[in-house]
Amino acid sequence: MKRAEQASETRAALIEAAKRLFATRGYLNTKVTDITAEAGRAAGSFYNHFAGKEELLKALLDELAAASDRYAVTDEHKSDFTDPEAIRYHVAAYWRVHREHAPTMLALRQAALVSEDFARTLEQFRRAQLEDLADHLAHVQNLPASVETTLTLMSAMMEAPTQLLPELPEAEAVEVATRFIYRALNGRDYPPRA
């Protein structure tokens, strides 16, 4: 095996080990040596790939952003939030990305609690994600608040069930959030699905 392939495999093993540990122990209770042991790698190998645990978490944040971006380039993607199916699509995408990256989401929240630098990084990420949705509100008349506030509240509405009701089935969570957001944005009852 070539050196570049080995390095790539080691980096991937470290990332996967970190995800497993963040899911079971949390970010704050996981040490670099825990990650290398879980990955079956030498302790020093970590620093060939990451300056520290926070840099590894930034790599996980990049993975999360890429997963989210993949939903924006599909044929099903609609950007008019007066259309309930456009809202449903975004809610479902958010739910799936959050579920697939739950250990990363947990680690991001924990890291932001103890690191001002990481809190800024996470805030920049959230702002960029919300800015990508700003044009989705262009057709909505009489927004309940400013675009930024509306998007922030929508984001909180989508995030809350994933944290507070993790056992809620995806279909139910998507349906409830879609109906709630549609009514909040458009000031009318959600139309029946065809």
Side-chain angles (χ1 to χ4, degrees):
M1 181 181 297
K2 294 182 181 179
R3 184 176 229 141
E5 289 173 347
Q6 280 182 317
S8 180
E9 279 187 12
T10 296
R11 186 178 194 281
L14 292 168
I15 286 174
E16 291 306 312
K19 288 179 191 177
R20 287 190 301 274
L21 291 170
F22 294 165
T24 57
R25 295 183 184 179
Y27 177 80
L28 299 177
N29 293 324
T30 300
K31 298 180 290 210
V32 169
T33 53
D34 298 330
I35 295 168
T36 55
E38 177 75 13
R41 301 298 196 265
S45 68
F46 183 91
Y47 297 101
N48 292 330
H49 302 279
F50 305 103
K53 195 168 65 163
E54 196 167 286
E55 187 175 307
L56 181 144
L57 188 54
K58 287 180 182 176
L60 292 177
L61 181 59
D62 290 342
E63 280 186 10
L64 175 67
S68 179
D69 289 348
R70 282 191 290 277
Y71 281 97
V73 295
T74 66
D75 291 337
E76 296 85 24
H77 180 257
K78 298 176 185 175
S79 60
D80 177 359
F81 278 178
T82 61
D83 179 352
E85 293 308 313
I87 295 171
R88 177 181 304 284
Y89 179 83
H90 285 81
V91 169
Y94 182 91
W95 184 267
R96 288 180 192 125
V97 169
H98 189 91
R99 288 286 185 164
E100 290 167 13
H101 298 271
T104 298
M105 298 296 288
L106 174 64
L108 292 169
R109 288 190 299 273
Q110 290 178 348
L113 291 173
V114 297
S115 166
E116 287 183 29
D117 180 51
F118 203 82
R120 281 189 296 278
T121 298
L122 185 56
E123 182 58 26
Q124 289 168 352
F125 170 75
R126 285 182 175 155
R127 285 193 180 279
Q129 294 290 305
L130 294 180
E131 286 170 9
D132 287 346
L133 292 176
D135 66 326
H136 292 45
L137 299 175
H139 301 288
V140 176
Q141 297 177 3
N142 303 317
L143 283 175
S146 70
V147 169
E148 182 179 352
T149 300
T150 299
L151 290 171
T152 300
L153 291 170
M154 283 176 48
S155 175
M157 172 60 206
M158 290 188 291
E159 188 172 343
T162 59
Q163 290 180 42
L164 303 174
L165 302 167
E167 71 286 346
L168 192 65
E170 179 181 328
E172 185 178 349
V174 169
E175 183 65 23
V176 169
T178 299
R179 288 179 175 277
F180 193 91
I181 291 169
Y182 179 83
R183 181 178 239 179
L185 290 178
N186 295 289
R188 58 184 180 268
D189 287 337
Y190 184 86
R193 288 189 80 189

